[in-house]
């Protein structure tokens, strides 16, 4: 069984028995010579010089995303990303997307172009940076920049620091920003940790600035229990506060929610993974019951080709009104 052999190789690495780990990985590589997962693992053992060929890997990623809400806002993108593995530890990429920003009365065509650089410092730590531009149909443009530093061991811990700078409409999702150009900067810290007994602790803090001299703080805290490593249930506290009220975008003061969250890993094997979950909570300031559901799935159709899909429905309150949104995304990953 290929998946069991892969886990065996990972176990050898964890025990620092690199000789046996190399033997297991090379057996699997003979079956799937183009597998980027195996090449990456052998790179952990042998270093960047393990592969004599160039490039180390290439990946093509078509991507489509769609968001809409009952306030009339629409944000949709479609495009392609190309990644080139220079070594096991260094990847460069380029992407191009078309899209729409829309409201009930206006539709704005956009184009997004950016280049990226990804560096992997170890099997758990990596950093990425991208720089580009969002172009609007009236010849206006906004700089697009993203920086991420992340450390992760799946199902144990994940910590990341992120910075995003972009047009405010791409971040604040307001119909009043479709034809109004403001710049926004977004600083985000995220982390979660699962202890051996299955208790999970997670949180995120975000600080947002907007070029209209506004700023905001957002805090999310979660804790809960993971049962049998597949079902999680717990409590979430959400806080969002904006300095200055404005009609251009949602800008609440001391907005809070209290929710019960759940995540369920319904399928997890070598070819298919699927997760569903959501929140059910209460908004004291609006006396409103919030509901949210999400689903994420990944299907491996071949060693070098995987499709991922994601879907989210949400009903909450904004500015004293019921607010409903739907988002959908579909991506394909083709390595060769």
């Amino acid at each position: 069984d290929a998946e069991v052999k892969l886990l065996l190789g990972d176990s050898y690495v964890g025990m620092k028995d690199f000789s046996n780990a190399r033997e297991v990985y090379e057996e699997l590589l003979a079956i799937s010579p183009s597998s980027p997962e195996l090449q990456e693992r052998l790179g952990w053992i042998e270093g960047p010089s393990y592969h004599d060929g160039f490039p180390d890997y290439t990946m093509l990623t078509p991507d489509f995303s769609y968001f809409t809400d009952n306030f009339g806002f629409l944000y949709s993108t479609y495009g392609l990303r190309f990644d080139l593995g220079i070594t096991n530890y260094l990847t460069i990429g380029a992407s191009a997307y078309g899209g729409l920003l829309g409201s009930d009365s206006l539709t704005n065509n956009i184009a997004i172009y950016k280049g990226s650089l990804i560096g992997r410092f170890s099997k758990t730590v990596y950093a990425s940076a991208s720089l580009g531009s969002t172009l609007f149909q009236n010849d206006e443009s906004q700089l697009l920049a993203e920086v991420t530093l992340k450390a992760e061991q799946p199902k144990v811990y994940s910590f990341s620091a992120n910075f995003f700078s972009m047009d405010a409409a791409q971040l604040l999702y307001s119909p009043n920003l479709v034809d109004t150009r403001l710049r926004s900067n977004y600083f985000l810290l995220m982390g979660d940790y699962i202890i051996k007994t299955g208790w999970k602790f997670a949180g995120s803090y975000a600080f947002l600035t907007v070029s209209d001299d506004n700023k905001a703080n957002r805090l999310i805290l979660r804790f809960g229990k993971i049962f049998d490593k597949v079902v999680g249930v717990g409590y979430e506290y959400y806080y969002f506060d904006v300095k200055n009220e404005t009609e251009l975008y949602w800008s609440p003061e001391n907005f809070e929610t209290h929710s019960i969250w759940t995540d369920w890993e319904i399928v997890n094997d070598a070819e298919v993974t699927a997760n569903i979950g959501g929140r059910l909570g209460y908004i004291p300031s609006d006396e409103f019951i919030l509901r949210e559901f999400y689903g994420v799935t990944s299907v491996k159709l071949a060693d070098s080709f995987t499709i991922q899909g994601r879907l989210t429905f949400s009903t909450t309150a904004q500015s004293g009104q019921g607010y409903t949104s739907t988002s959908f995304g579909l991506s394909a990953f083709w390595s060769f």
Side-chain angles (χ1 to χ4, degrees):
D1 185 288
E3 184 183 11
V4 173
K5 279 194 173 184
L6 186 64
L7 293 172
L8 176 62
D10 293 347
S11 298
Y12 280 133
V13 171
M15 296 168 61
K16 302 188 183 302
D17 186 350
F18 300 123
S19 177
N20 277 321
R22 184 185 302 107
E23 182 178 340
V24 172
Y25 291 151
E26 288 180 342
E27 286 179 6
L28 290 170
L29 197 64
I31 301 171
S32 302
S34 64
S35 170
E37 292 89 353
L38 291 171
Q39 293 172 359
E40 181 182 45
R41 281 167 166 79
L42 282 165
W44 296 342
I45 298 171
E46 303 288 349
S49 62
Y50 175 79
H51 299 287
D52 295 328
F54 175 83
D56 184 68
Y57 77 94
T58 55
M59 181 175 290
L60 200 62
T61 308
D63 182 80
F64 169 76
S65 65
Y66 178 86
F67 176 93
T68 187
D69 63 26
N70 64 325
F71 287 4
F73 181 72
L74 168 67
Y75 182 34
S76 177
T77 62
Y78 52 89
L80 197 64
R81 172 173 172 150
F82 177 74
D83 290 307
L84 183 70
I86 306 300
T87 70
N88 287 303
Y89 297 97
L90 181 64
T91 298
I92 60 173
S95 55
Y97 300 91
L100 294 173
L101 277 172
S103 66
D104 287 337
S105 58
L106 179 67
T107 299
N108 199 337
N109 292 295
I110 62 172
I112 301 170
Y113 302 97
K114 60 182 178 179
S116 60
L117 183 69
I118 303 172
R120 184 171 289 278
F121 305 112
S122 70
K123 64 180 181 180
T124 58
V125 181
Y126 75 89
S128 66
S130 63
L131 187 66
S133 182
T134 301
L135 307 178
F136 300 87
Q137 61 188 18
N138 54 2
D139 295 327
E140 290 185 284
S141 66
Q142 285 273 29
L143 178 71
L144 180 65
E146 302 175 12
V147 180
T148 295
L149 176 64
K150 187 171 185 177
E152 179 180 36
Q153 183 174 337
K155 296 189 177 182
V156 180
Y157 66 81
S158 176
F159 301 100
S160 66
N162 310 270
F163 169 74
F164 305 93
S165 184
M166 63 189 70
D167 188 87
Q170 296 172 287
L171 185 64
L172 298 175
Y173 283 34
S174 169
N176 299 323
L177 292 174
V178 170
D179 201 34
T180 300
R181 302 280 66 83
L182 292 175
R183 180 151 201 83
S184 60
N185 295 315
Y186 186 54
F187 304 86
L188 175 64
L189 297 175
M190 299 177 63
D192 63 74
Y193 186 74
I194 303 174
I195 62 177
K196 292 182 179 180
T197 55
W199 287 97
K200 179 177 181 178
F201 302 88
S204 72
Y205 170 75
F207 178 70
L208 170 70
T209 64
V210 186
S211 58
D212 61 355
D213 294 326
N214 213 353
K215 59 184 179 180
N217 294 275
R218 190 195 70 193
L219 176 68
I220 303 174
L221 297 175
R222 277 188 173 193
F223 74 89
K225 176 76 171 179
I226 309 298
F227 298 93
D228 298 325
K229 298 183 179 181
V230 295
V231 178
V233 179
Y235 166 78
E236 177 192 279
Y237 172 74
Y238 177 100
Y239 174 81
F240 185 47
D241 178 62
V242 182
K243 179 183 177 182
N244 301 317
E245 185 178 359
T246 175
E247 295 183 355
L248 288 175
Y249 48 85
W250 185 47
S251 48
E253 181 180 359
N254 298 321
F255 178 84
E256 293 180 317
T257 72
H258 304 271
S259 306
I260 300 298
W261 63 266
T262 182
D263 296 317
W264 181 19
E265 187 178 63
I266 56 177
V267 181
N268 186 1
D269 59 38
E271 285 74 37
V272 180
T273 63
N275 295 68
I276 61 173
R279 297 184 299 154
L280 180 65
Y282 181 66
I283 305 173
S285 59
D286 295 288
E287 298 184 345
F288 192 88
I289 302 297
L290 72 88
R291 291 92 69 194
E292 182 178 279
F293 168 82
Y294 81 88
V296 180
T297 186
S298 176
V299 180
K300 188 175 183 179
L301 300 178
D303 286 338
S304 60
F305 190 76
T306 300
I307 295 178
Q308 291 184 357
R310 52 200 179 276
L311 177 67
T312 302
F313 297 107
S314 177
T315 299
T316 180
Q318 289 190 9
S319 305
Q321 303 178 58
Y323 177 78
T324 301
S325 64
T326 301
S327 64
F328 171 76
L330 187 65
S331 303
F333 301 88
W334 179 31
S335 60
F336 53 93

